[in-house]
Amino acid sequence: MSSSANIYVEDRFYNKLLSYLMGLDQPQLEEFKVCLQSSQLLLGNFQQIPWANLKAIDPINLFCLLSEYFSERQIWEVTLTIFENMNLSSWCMEIRAMLNEMAQTQDSQDAKQEESEVPEEGDHRRRYRERMKAKILMMWDNIPWPEDHIYLRNVTEKEHEELKSLLYPNRTGAQPQTIVLEGLAGVGKTTLAMKAVLHWAEGFLFQQRFSYVFFISCHKVKEMKDTTLAGLLSWDWPDSQAPIEEVKSCSERLLFVIDGFEEMDMPSNLDDSPPCEDWYQELPVNRILFYLLKKELVPLATLLITTKEYRTNDLKNLLLNPWFVQILGFTEGDREEYFIRYFGDQNKAKKILHWVRKNETLFHFCSAPMVCWTVCSCLKQQMARNPHFQLSTQTTTSLYVYFFSSLFATVEVSLSDQSWPDQWRALCFLAAEGMWFWKFTFAKKDLKHRHLEETVIGSLLRLNILRKVSDCEDCVTFTHQSFQVFLGAMFYVLRGMRGSVGGPPKHQEMKVLLNDALADTNFYWNQMALFFFGLLKRNLAEELEDTLHCKVNPRIMDELLEWAEELESYDLISNCFEFLHFFECLYETQEENFVRQILSHLLEADLDIFGNLQLQVSSFCLKHCQSLNKLRLSVNGTIPQMELTFNLETLEMRPHSKIGQWQDVCSVFSNGNLCELDLSNSKLNAFAMKKLCYELRNPRCKLQKLTCKSVTPVRILKELVLALYGNHRLTHLNLSSNNLVIPVSTMIFKTLRHSACNLQYLWLESCGLTPLVCRHLFLELCKNSSVRFLSLGDNDLSGVEVKSLPGPSEMPESSLKELSLEKCNLSAASCQDLTLHLTRTQRTTRLCLGFNPLRDDGVRLLCASLTHPECALERLVLWFCQLGAPSCRYLSDALLENKSLTHLNLRRNNLRDEGVKFLCKALSHPDCSLQNLDLSDCSFTAEGCQELANALQHNPNVKILDIGSNDIQDDGVKHLCEVLKHPNSALNTLGLEKCNLTPACCQHLSSVLRSSKSLLNLNLLGNDLEPRGVSTLWKALKKSTCKLQKLGLKKELYNIVKEELEELHERGSFLRVKFKWDFNDLEDKWWW
């Protein structure tokens, strides 16, 4: 353990908030965002989040946004207010309880006082404590540490404080009943848990709190035969049988330490099994442990659990109100102390540590004491062997290669050179197989099965590559998990065709490994991919062959290039491909020619540069991305203002490495292929922006789409807009969520005025634009013949007099056709002006007025322009405009005369059945041109559905109808199905999300699915159709006559038919099941 606990307590309040946000369905999530914009609801006490940042955000990023704008308590107060408004009563009760808990100010004095009062001890308890003390000390003595390993031991007083903090992490005196110690391998989770047991057994801690403490090793007990909880606890008892009844009588004073949860297999059908409270019921051991974890067995006991971080989510789903305590291992100070004590020379140690710090990946690995030993041991041996050894040329992988080669260069093993390749292959096979199945402890039979020689095993134990497991005499594990990860990666570099999991050949298994590792944030998979690429470095491959007698696969790079070619057909963004980690892996190879080849296939990338490592690897790789056409780049690292830096060692000026790296990053902008660039959420200084703009002016720059949302400081945008002056290639510019000041606005106007300007799409949402600036903008658009789309959403335009804007005679060249004024505080009076403008210009084809309080009077005025014979409007968005049934009457009358309007969005308005009836008067006419109608969340019932069904019988034009979040129930669906079965029905998309449907409606829907020739998309998300309802649907979906291509279904219901869906795909079906209803055209998303 380190000299400091380095414990981080994960706040369960924040975890709970994230679970709430993730639990909201799509309509609820949208309502939550809308409520965040309500000054009446939040009483104006909180800073408002820009709507442009909110409207398309997912739950995880919404969580981050809330943390950015509000304090912890404010977040909960805001969330409670919104949930109350949404009638989420059960969540509101939980949040109120949390707020009460957070308000407690009592510290842990009660706990400390409690520790000073030791109760009278019985004979059973005394003998048990002696037994546990002996057990823990024996386990500690059995841990084989390398001879030259430095142990940084805590003083007893500090250890006691650490251990107390585990039981009182919230500092309120409230006793957490379940504590989870999570962290990477080797950082001290088990050590800390063992110390808790030891200090209790020695009588130093927890005497008043716990009468008995039980230590259960998941690895040791998982091979046990079926037993009872009583039998499991009797294992450590001095006598053959524990006094179970005495133990049961003080269940609230029991502590169960469950070590190594990651070793346990999850029992099948745990949720379906009846609860168990019987201490004497015979069960498989893993089921006993899971009943303990779920607090069904011994519910009043305290649990202290250790786990590697990749099993944390399993525990979150299993435990009741857990506290997660992250064990971070060595602090920076601990690492420095370790290096100084290991090398004995402070200056040498600090130079080495300075280099290790620059290798951020390796420095992070060194939080584990055994990795510190590995690095120090390797460097010491390399420096002794080679006086010219250069730290600057080393990578993380090279250190591990030299560590193994140094050890085996001197070891004496009675094994021929011809036998070594097979032995290495066997060891690496064992490591890789273990990684696939999360197996980190191996029995003797596992080693024999892989044909590892006894002499080799003995050497691996002596060299501290393997070690015996302290609580299992016949088992071994790798001394640190990074050894297993490294050897597992090495398996895929060595010769041989056979994979490690018994299925596909090795090169196919390697592709699966990389796809998983680069689409997963799991630390061990990421580390394995890093080592795999690092082993491609030519001198390291030679070292493996020369020193370790390994045989490296000569085709390994060709196989990787084949994998890279396949990435072209892989949707990298939607599959959460970890571009930054991919670049880090390529940087680890240091093989520029190979990197150039493999990146020649990369078409898009998504990068966050927030430190030196990210800048370094991005610059190394981006300059080779000559085919890249789409890049999202968020920069938060510091780019130096000075081009030269002063070297203290040589007393010379030299180019600053970061400047060169930033220039390499910017060089990709002029690769001749980059069409889309997103710099949102970047923090850039003027110098970095000038370098960037220099490349944007390059004649080879072919950039067409540029997004710069929430860029700081805003003043640097002036430089950017100036660089775009006269650029005839740029067609899309998004500067939303920037508080544009007058100089920047002026530069935008100047750019629009340039004769070469070809800008067609312009977003200026949430930019704090004043009415005066907006008027100037419209005036500039009069002289611009290119801009066809303009979005000014979330700017207060209530003071802009639209009627004062130029008419058709004054703007003969303007091509503006699409205008979004969403959430611009427009009222009915604004509609009067808009009507005049639409009537005079006669060019606007799309108009979004959503999230404005237009009300019925506003729509009445707006409809005057819809009836104009020259009206060109095709799409009208009026979502959440506080409309009622009268608006539908005005719209219906207008639709009878208007022949251009094809899309109408009335979502989130209180139209009710009466309003739907008015609309249906127009819909029932065969010549009504409407094709796409959104009536979701409009407060109507099955009666409204009956009206829609009657109207659709006479209308051959409506193709898309969304009526989700209305209480139409099964009767409403029945009415619609009668129409959908008609051979002349044109409807291809039907939205029925959250309509209170039951399995009874599935029979009607099945009839439609079997017969409809038009229906392609059906959204049934948020309805409790139950397995029997889905089974009914599936019988129709399997029919060859079914044309459906997309079905929205709850995830738990999808799992029922997952295998059958795969069979359908094999037979050529195009059906896809979606858990979230998505938009195919993101650019079109806010229009429809």
Side-chain angles (χ1 to χ4, degrees):
M1 277 295 296
S2 69
S3 56
S4 173
N6 204 14
I7 293 172
Y8 170 74
V9 179
E10 185 177 324
D11 197 326
R12 70 182 173 96
F13 294 129
Y14 278 114
N15 280 332
K16 197 69 177 175
L17 173 63
L18 185 56
S19 72
Y20 288 146
L21 296 178
M22 297 286 285
L24 296 173
D25 57 33
Q26 200 62 33
Q28 287 174 328
L29 183 62
E30 183 180 277
E31 185 173 354
F32 189 93
K33 296 175 192 176
V34 169
C35 290
L36 277 171
Q37 298 289 294
S38 171
S39 56
Q40 291 85 5
L41 192 62
L42 302 183
L43 301 176
N45 294 327
F46 303 104
Q47 184 182 0
Q48 195 172 73
I49 303 173
W51 178 244
N53 290 2
L54 270 177
K55 65 180 184 180
I57 206 167
D58 59 32
I60 294 175
N61 285 308
L62 175 58
F63 170 79
C64 297
L65 205 59
L66 290 171
S67 302
E68 182 181 337
Y69 277 81
F70 304 130
S71 68
E72 179 181 352
R73 186 166 187 88
Q74 283 178 330
I75 289 174
W76 284 112
E77 289 173 350
V78 166
T79 303
L80 177 60
T81 302
I82 293 175
F83 281 0
E84 284 174 341
N85 188 67
M86 295 170 65
N87 296 318
L88 299 174
S89 54
S90 61
W91 285 359
C92 290
M93 287 176 63
E94 292 177 12
I95 292 173
R96 289 190 196 97
M98 283 191 217
L99 285 170
N100 289 335
E101 186 174 343
M102 289 168 66
Q104 294 178 4
T105 56
Q106 179 185 354
D107 60 20
S108 57
Q109 292 300 315
D110 294 342
K112 292 180 179 179
Q113 181 181 356
E114 181 184 65
E115 292 299 335
S116 64
E117 300 171 5
V118 181
E120 191 174 329
E121 184 173 53
D123 186 52
H124 281 306
R125 184 167 178 259
R126 179 184 55 77
R127 288 193 297 130
Y128 177 70
R129 284 201 301 107
E130 290 172 356
R131 175 65 176 264
M132 289 305 295
K133 178 181 176 181
K135 173 182 176 175
I136 298 298
L137 289 174
M138 185 174 67
M139 287 173 61
W140 182 260
D141 291 340
N142 286 342
I143 298 174
W145 297 98
E147 289 183 9
D148 55 345
H149 173 57
I150 307 297
Y151 178 60
L152 307 182
R153 182 175 177 80
N154 287 357
V155 296
T156 305
E157 185 177 345
K158 285 187 177 180
E159 280 186 352
H160 288 181
E161 290 304 315
E162 287 176 23
L163 294 169
K164 285 180 182 178
S165 73
L166 294 180
L167 292 169
Y168 303 97
N170 58 358
R171 302 185 183 280
T172 64
Q175 170 66 50
Q177 292 295 110
T178 304
I179 306 105
V180 180
L181 308 184
E182 60 169 331
L184 299 175
V187 293
K189 304 179 296 295
T190 297
T191 301
L192 201 58
M194 287 169 62
K195 284 181 179 178
V197 180
L198 181 62
H199 287 309
W200 172 81
E202 290 176 331
F204 295 137
L205 285 177
F206 316 132
Q207 301 305 295
Q208 176 74 10
R209 182 71 189 88
F210 302 117
S211 296
Y212 293 99
V213 176
F214 301 98
F215 186 89
I216 300 173
S217 164
C218 292
H219 164 71
K220 187 171 183 178
V221 302
K222 72 176 181 179
E223 300 298 335
M224 283 178 62
K225 296 179 180 178
D226 291 3
T227 185
T228 64
L229 175 60
L232 187 62
L233 301 185
S234 297
W235 258 35
D236 287 321
W237 215 263
D239 305 320
S240 58
Q241 184 64 44
I244 295 300
E245 295 307 315
E246 178 188 328
V247 174
K248 285 177 70 176
S249 67
C250 57
S251 60
E252 75 283 0
R253 291 161 51 77
L254 302 181
L255 171 63
F256 289 93
V257 178
I258 300 175
D259 182 48
F261 171 77
E262 71 277 359
E263 295 271 5
M264 290 303 301
D265 298 322
M266 297 281 278
S268 59
N269 303 320
L270 189 67
D271 292 332
D272 299 332
S273 58
C276 173
E277 301 175 2
D278 188 355
W279 289 46
Y280 298 98
Q281 183 178 346
E282 192 168 281
L283 293 165
V285 175
N286 66 342
R287 195 166 285 272
I288 292 174
L289 289 183
F290 280 101
Y291 283 133
L292 270 175
L293 294 172
K294 289 184 71 176
K295 290 295 181 82
E296 290 182 7
L297 265 173
V298 206
L300 298 180
T302 300
L303 304 177
L304 179 61
I305 306 155
T306 73
T307 185
K308 289 174 183 167
E309 77 297 333
Y310 63 85
R311 290 296 299 273
T312 298
N313 284 336
D314 290 334
L315 280 171
K316 284 180 178 178
N317 295 330
L318 194 66
L319 302 176
L320 184 66
N321 296 325
W323 277 97
F324 284 89
V325 180
Q326 193 173 2
I327 306 300
L328 301 174
F330 275 177
T331 63
E332 285 199 35
D334 298 330
R335 280 168 259 191
E336 182 174 342
E337 182 183 350
Y338 193 101
F339 274 69
I340 292 171
R341 288 177 59 181
Y342 191 95
F343 287 100
D345 182 332
Q346 188 165 348
N347 289 332
K348 179 191 284 188
K350 288 196 171 182
K351 282 183 181 178
I352 293 170
L353 196 61
H354 177 71
W355 169 79
V356 174
R357 275 198 180 97
K358 289 171 69 176
N359 186 332
E360 292 181 23
T361 303
L362 185 61
F363 190 62
H364 178 61
F365 288 177
C366 285
S367 61
M370 279 305 300
V371 177
C372 266
W373 171 78
T374 302
V375 172
C376 291
S377 172
C378 173
L379 292 176
K380 191 172 186 178
Q381 291 180 51
Q382 288 300 309
M383 290 172 175
R385 287 172 59 188
N386 181 6
H388 304 292
F389 179 75
Q390 292 185 334
L391 275 174
S392 58
T393 62
Q394 301 307 304
T395 63
T396 304
T397 309
S398 68
L399 281 180
Y400 275 75
V401 170
Y402 291 131
F403 171 76
F404 279 87
S405 64
S406 298
L407 290 178
F408 280 88
T410 56
V411 70
E412 293 184 8
V413 183
S414 56
L415 201 67
S416 66
D417 288 351
Q418 291 75 23
S419 300
W420 272 113
D422 289 338
Q423 288 299 292
W424 277 113
R425 195 178 300 115
L427 181 63
C428 293
F429 187 107
L430 184 79
E433 182 184 44
M435 289 301 299
W436 280 106
F437 295 104
W438 296 116
K439 184 175 181 180
F440 307 110
T441 304
F442 306 93
K444 276 187 177 179
K445 62 180 181 181
D446 297 320
L447 307 180
K448 287 182 179 178
H449 183 62
R450 299 293 161 230
H451 306 294
L452 277 166
E453 301 277 353
E454 287 287 346
T455 53
V456 173
I457 296 170
S459 297
L460 293 171
L461 288 167
R462 286 195 302 277
L463 295 172
N464 296 300
I465 293 170
L466 292 178
R467 66 174 175 84
K468 291 184 178 180
V469 179
S470 60
D471 58 359
C472 184
E473 188 176 341
D474 293 331
C475 296
V476 297
T477 186
F478 288 92
T479 301
H480 187 262
Q481 195 167 328
S482 63
F483 293 174
Q484 181 175 347
V485 173
F486 172 78
L487 293 168
M490 191 167 146
F491 171 75
Y492 294 99
V493 177
L494 300 181
R495 288 186 181 182
M497 298 294 293
R498 183 187 170 197
S500 67
V501 294
K506 186 192 285 189
H507 73 279
Q508 292 291 346
E509 191 174 286
M510 175 267 292
K511 292 177 182 180
V512 174
L513 164 68
L514 292 180
N515 288 338
D516 286 352
L518 294 171
D520 193 343
T521 55
N522 182 286
F523 174 78
Y524 304 105
W525 282 118
N526 291 349
Q527 193 179 1
M528 195 168 174
L530 185 81
F531 282 139
F532 172 73
F533 277 92
L535 288 166
L536 302 179
K537 194 176 179 183
R538 295 186 190 280
N539 66 323
L540 296 186
E542 292 168 3
E543 183 75 16
L544 290 177
E545 293 193 333
D546 295 344
T547 310
L548 301 179
H549 310 293
C550 294
K551 300 296 182 184
V552 176
N553 177 9
R555 288 202 70 251
I556 186 63
M557 284 195 173
D558 293 333
E559 291 170 358
L560 266 174
L561 290 173
E562 289 174 14
W563 167 75
E565 285 182 32
E566 294 170 8
L567 287 181
E568 289 189 53
S569 60
Y570 191 65
D571 189 352
L572 299 179
I573 298 292
S574 63
N575 284 284
C576 302
F577 188 83
E578 293 286 330
F579 290 96
L580 202 55
H581 184 58
F582 180 43
F583 282 11
E584 189 180 347
C585 291
L586 293 176
Y587 180 77
E588 190 79 2
T589 69
Q590 294 293 300
E591 297 285 343
E592 294 217 31
N593 188 47
F594 168 70
V595 171
R596 187 178 299 109
Q597 291 181 69
I598 203 168
L599 289 176
S600 67
H601 303 286
L602 194 67
L603 302 178
E604 61 182 337
D606 187 338
L607 302 169
D608 288 297
I609 297 178
F610 51 85
N612 294 339
L613 174 66
Q614 294 75 35
L615 179 60
Q616 192 174 42
V617 302
S618 297
S619 69
F620 180 80
C621 293
L622 281 176
K623 63 186 177 186
H624 296 307
C625 294
Q626 294 306 305
S627 300
L628 198 71
N629 60 43
K630 187 175 181 180
L631 173 64
R632 191 199 71 82
L633 185 67
S634 178
V635 184
N636 283 288
T638 304
I639 310 297
Q641 300 270 16
M642 300 288 293
E643 297 216 32
L644 297 175
T645 184
F646 190 67
N647 189 332
L648 289 172
E649 293 184 8
T650 62
L651 302 180
E652 295 176 351
M653 298 297 287
R654 64 181 182 185
H656 201 297
S657 60
K658 285 189 180 179
I659 297 295
Q661 289 166 1
W662 180 240
Q663 286 174 334
D664 286 341
V665 168
C666 293
S667 69
V668 76
F669 306 151
S670 54
N671 68 3
N673 289 306
L674 192 72
C675 297
E676 296 184 41
L677 174 63
D678 187 345
L679 294 170
S680 298
N681 303 306
S682 289
K683 295 179 182 177
L684 294 167
N685 55 38
F687 181 83
M689 180 57 84
K690 281 183 180 179
K691 291 287 182 185
L692 186 153
C693 290
Y694 178 80
E695 295 296 338
L696 292 180
R697 292 191 192 96
N698 190 311
R700 281 179 51 80
C701 178
K702 300 293 192 294
L703 198 66
Q704 295 174 10
K705 298 182 180 182
L706 177 61
T707 301
C708 295
K709 295 170 65 175
S710 298
V711 173
T712 53
V714 174
R715 64 177 180 274
I716 64 169
L717 288 175
K718 182 179 178 181
E719 186 80 30
L720 180 66
V721 175
L722 186 62
L724 301 175
Y725 184 69
N727 187 316
H728 66 279
R729 299 186 186 92
L730 194 72
T731 58
H732 294 62
L733 178 62
N734 190 338
L735 297 177
S736 299
S737 301
N738 293 296
N739 190 16
L740 298 181
V741 290
I742 297 296
V744 179
S745 303
T746 304
M747 288 308 306
I748 294 173
F749 302 155
K750 186 177 178 181
T751 300
L752 291 172
R753 201 178 303 140
H754 196 282
S755 59
C757 177
N758 189 35
L759 201 66
Q760 297 174 27
Y761 292 81
L762 178 61
W763 286 265
L764 297 173
E765 301 170 358
S766 303
C767 286
L769 300 181
T770 63
L772 180 63
V773 170
C774 289
R775 174 168 173 74
H776 279 231
L777 176 61
F778 276 102
L779 289 170
E780 291 299 336
L781 291 175
C782 297
K783 306 164 190 174
N784 181 288
S785 59
S786 64
V787 177
R788 56 169 292 157
F789 169 93
L790 174 65
S791 178
L792 297 176
D794 198 22
N795 290 291
D796 189 355
L797 305 187
S798 57
V800 178
E801 293 186 0
V802 183
K803 62 185 177 183
S804 66
L805 297 179
S809 61
E810 300 165 89
M811 44 189 305
E813 298 180 355
S814 176
S815 59
L816 187 64
K817 292 185 176 181
E818 303 171 20
L819 180 62
S820 175
L821 300 177
E822 185 177 75
K823 196 177 182 292
C824 288
N825 200 23
L826 301 179
S827 62
S830 307
C831 287
Q832 177 72 60
D833 297 340
L834 275 169
T835 298
L836 290 172
H837 182 69
L838 292 172
T839 305
R840 288 154 60 187
T841 58
Q842 300 168 12
R843 289 193 184 95
T844 307
T845 59
R846 298 185 180 188
L847 178 62
C848 176
L849 299 174
F851 210 163
N852 285 297
L854 304 182
R855 300 188 175 88
D856 297 326
D857 284 343
V859 172
R860 176 177 56 80
L861 295 168
L862 194 63
C863 283
S865 63
L866 292 178
T867 57
H868 192 281
E870 301 280 337
C871 177
L873 204 64
E874 297 171 1
R875 301 190 179 196
L876 177 61
V877 178
L878 297 172
W879 77 277
F880 199 39
C881 287
Q882 302 177 25
L883 311 183
S887 290
C888 295
R889 186 173 60 210
Y890 306 137
L891 285 166
S892 184
D893 292 342
L895 286 169
L896 289 172
E897 298 184 46
N898 181 291
K899 301 306 174 189
S900 64
L901 196 69
T902 58
H903 292 62
L904 179 61
N905 186 334
L906 296 173
R907 181 168 51 96
R908 286 181 65 87
N909 287 295
N910 189 28
L911 307 183
R912 295 174 284 115
D913 292 323
E914 182 186 2
V916 174
K917 187 175 182 179
F918 283 132
L919 273 179
C920 288
K921 287 182 180 178
L923 283 176
S924 61
H925 283 252
D927 57 347
C928 176
S929 59
L930 210 60
Q931 298 175 17
N932 196 326
L933 179 61
D934 189 344
L935 296 175
S936 58
D937 200 7
C938 286
S939 308
F940 63 89
T941 67
E943 184 182 338
C945 269
Q946 178 71 72
E947 296 291 342
L948 282 169
N950 293 338
L952 291 174
Q953 280 183 339
H954 309 286
N955 188 311
N957 299 317
V958 177
K959 294 180 173 61
I960 299 175
L961 177 63
D962 191 349
I963 54 174
S965 299
N966 289 294
D967 189 23
I968 66 170
Q969 302 183 18
D970 298 337
D971 285 343
V973 172
K974 182 180 178 182
H975 297 319
L976 286 172
C977 286
E978 292 302 319
V979 183
L980 289 170
K981 286 188 287 187
H982 196 279
N984 294 330
S985 172
L987 204 68
N988 63 47
T989 300
L990 178 60
L992 297 172
E993 183 171 349
K994 293 187 69 179
C995 286
N996 292 327
L997 308 184
T998 72
C1001 76
C1002 293
Q1003 196 64 51
H1004 304 297
L1005 287 169
S1006 295
S1007 179
V1008 171
L1009 292 173
R1010 281 193 294 266
S1011 60
S1012 174
K1013 296 179 181 179
S1014 63
L1015 192 64
L1016 301 177
N1017 308 299
L1018 177 61
N1019 184 0
L1020 296 173
L1021 285 164
N1023 293 293
D1024 192 10
L1025 302 180
E1026 300 178 12
R1028 59 193 175 97
V1030 175
S1031 178
T1032 302
L1033 285 176
W1034 209 254
K1035 290 175 184 176
L1037 290 167
K1038 289 191 291 185
K1039 296 287 184 182
S1040 58
T1041 54
C1042 178
K1043 305 299 182 185
L1044 202 71
Q1045 295 181 8
K1046 186 164 75 170
L1047 174 66
L1049 206 61
K1050 279 184 176 181
K1051 190 170 185 178
E1052 53 268 31
L1053 294 175
Y1054 160 71
N1055 290 333
I1056 300 169
V1057 294
K1058 184 179 178 181
E1059 291 183 7
E1060 293 185 68
L1061 180 62
E1062 291 170 356
E1063 291 177 11
L1064 279 180
H1065 289 167
E1066 290 174 4
R1067 298 208 302 264
S1069 171
F1070 293 103
L1071 180 64
R1072 296 292 180 270
V1073 175
K1074 299 287 185 179
F1075 313 134
K1076 287 189 177 180
W1077 203 250
D1078 56 348
F1079 293 87
N1080 294 323
D1081 184 355
L1082 290 178
E1083 209 165 84
D1084 203 40
K1085 178 174 181 178
W1086 296 106
W1087 288 111
W1088 191 245

